[in-house]
Amino acid sequence: MVHVEPDFGPEEIRSYLKVTGWSPVSGGDVAELWSLPGPADEVVLVPMKPGAPDFTKRARILLQDLSRVESQDVQAVHDAIATVYHDVTDLRASHPSLGDGSIPLEAGYELFVSAKRLRVASAAASIRRQGHFRNFPARARDQAREVRLGQTRRGSYIVPIISQARSPEDVYSPGQNHIEIQVEETLFDRRVTATMSRALGVLEDMATAERAPTPSEITDSIGEGVSYELCQALAKVVNTESVSALDVSFNWSRVASPPPGTPPRVEFTRDAIEIVDRVSEQLKTRVYTSQHVIYGIVTDLSRHPEDETGRVGVQTLIKRRSRTVWMDLPDSTYHSAVHCHDAGIPVRVRGALTSPPGGQATMVVTEFGPDPSLGADD
């Protein structure tokens, strides 16, 4: 029997069991017993002390028990537990010649490099909506260093990108009056993955439509995170001689709601890449006004009954420092801000940001609402 070394702790185990239908029945500081309702009346033991001499042994036994109950191999169960707090994005290069699970060196190099390019472009679009970046924000470049790559898998040739995720219910409470910097750093990973998924979905729609995308549609796609750099990352993989298609699958964390409106899978063939190249050229040669995107929580609300707008303060991170950004919102949007404040729902705001050092940060708002990256409805 092949032994799989556990790469997780008690919290990952407990979260995984909870989302797969198990319930705790007894236990203490050393171990817990969990049961699965049903005719078989299954019970498993969860070790609770990672530093204990027998933790690895008990975790292996748990993996074998879950493998039997779920009719999956041990490695699959292990990976599901180890990534329960993570989103896993699978990049799969396919071609009739790749049936043995290997890939030519040049194509493999472009696939790995493009994994980084896709993340950096999506991170940049999560900060600023812009058709052509030329110079990425430093935070976007840093983000690509923080995600991990999993082991390549068979199925033509698959490279998994592993990034953090967090359920909004576990983040902020109603009436919260400040953001947590560490929490916001964690949430940025999920926001980048959500931006990537939406942007690639929009590109796929344009590439598979019966007609070529209009200039207006290409302009609108920028608001969803499409950029010249994102298009180029796709094209460089599919245009290699030994790759005929690239598909990207989004496997969202089991403990965080999938972002609404995001496709679970997109695919780009060589025919589709021809359209992506056209979009790319238009994004490169046209000048578009960029818009900033901020994420955070509503901490301040002020409005007199006779006013047409209300003053709202959103605490966010700017250059990784906590800042309050002030904005004036019309009636319906102001009511949305009140709801998000009262319910403890993080928000996403897009518009023209002014944030002078030492001065008051303000934003002229184009779009305001619950942050859809975290599973909240628009």
Side-chain angles (χ1 to χ4, degrees), residues 47-62:
M48 297 297 292
K49 292 286 187 182
D54 65 342
F55 179 83
T56 298
K57 175 183 177 182
R58 298 297 177 191
R60 283 180 185 157
I61 294 172
L62 173 65

Side-chain angles (χ1 to χ4, degrees), residues 54-274:
D54 65 342
F55 179 83
T56 298
K57 175 183 177 182
R58 298 297 177 191
R60 283 180 185 157
I61 294 172
L62 173 65
L63 285 173
Q64 291 164 12
D65 288 341
L66 292 175
S67 172
R68 173 183 54 80
V69 172
E70 299 179 6
S71 299
Q72 295 193 76
D73 62 55
V74 172
Q75 186 66 56
V77 177
H78 170 276
D79 293 348
I81 297 174
T83 60
V84 72
Y85 293 136
H86 294 79
D87 298 320
V88 181
T89 305
D90 289 332
L91 273 61
R92 183 172 74 95
S94 60
H95 190 277
S97 66
L98 303 182
D100 64 351
S102 66
I103 193 171
L105 179 61
E106 180 186 0
Y109 170 78
E110 288 295 347
L111 184 61
F112 276 88
V113 171
S114 287
K116 177 180 178 180
R117 289 172 177 154
L118 285 170
R119 289 300 297 190
V120 175
S122 300
S126 299
I127 298 168
R128 198 167 65 233
R129 297 294 202 254
Q130 194 166 322
H132 184 193
F133 283 91
R134 295 179 177 86
N135 295 308
F136 287 121
R139 179 69 181 97
R141 294 193 299 270
D142 291 345
Q143 204 278 334
R145 301 187 188 106
E146 294 163 7
V147 298
R148 295 179 292 134
L149 289 179
Q151 292 183 345
T152 56
R153 298 196 293 266
R154 286 182 177 270
S156 291
Y157 195 83
I158 301 173
V159 174
I161 304 173
I162 302 171
S163 56
Q164 295 184 89
R166 178 76 72 89
S167 169
E169 290 80 14
D170 299 332
V171 178
Y172 293 125
S173 57
Q176 182 103 8
N177 61 6
H178 66 281
I179 59 172
E180 301 286 349
I181 293 179
Q182 189 58 48
V183 167
E184 287 298 314
E185 293 284 4
T186 300
L187 292 178
F188 188 67
D189 274 8
R190 159 53 75 97
R191 287 161 174 154
V192 171
T193 308
T195 299
M196 181 192 298
S197 180
R198 284 196 190 87
L200 292 180
V202 169
L203 264 181
E204 183 189 48
D205 289 343
M206 289 194 290
T208 56
E210 295 182 355
R211 56 172 177 76
T214 66
S216 176
E217 289 170 337
I218 293 174
T219 299
D220 290 344
S221 75
I222 297 172
E224 296 297 333
V226 176
S227 67
Y228 166 80
E229 288 77 9
L230 187 83
C231 295
Q232 288 293 294
L234 291 173
K236 286 184 179 295
V237 176
V238 183
N239 284 336
T240 56
E241 182 178 347
S242 51
V243 174
S244 61
L246 174 72
D247 70 65
V248 185
S249 300
F250 297 92
N251 307 292
W252 302 105
S253 166
R254 299 288 291 272
V255 297
S257 302
T262 54
R265 177 182 175 274
V266 294
E267 181 178 22
F268 295 90
T269 62
R270 287 190 175 168
D271 288 342
I273 288 299
E274 290 183 13

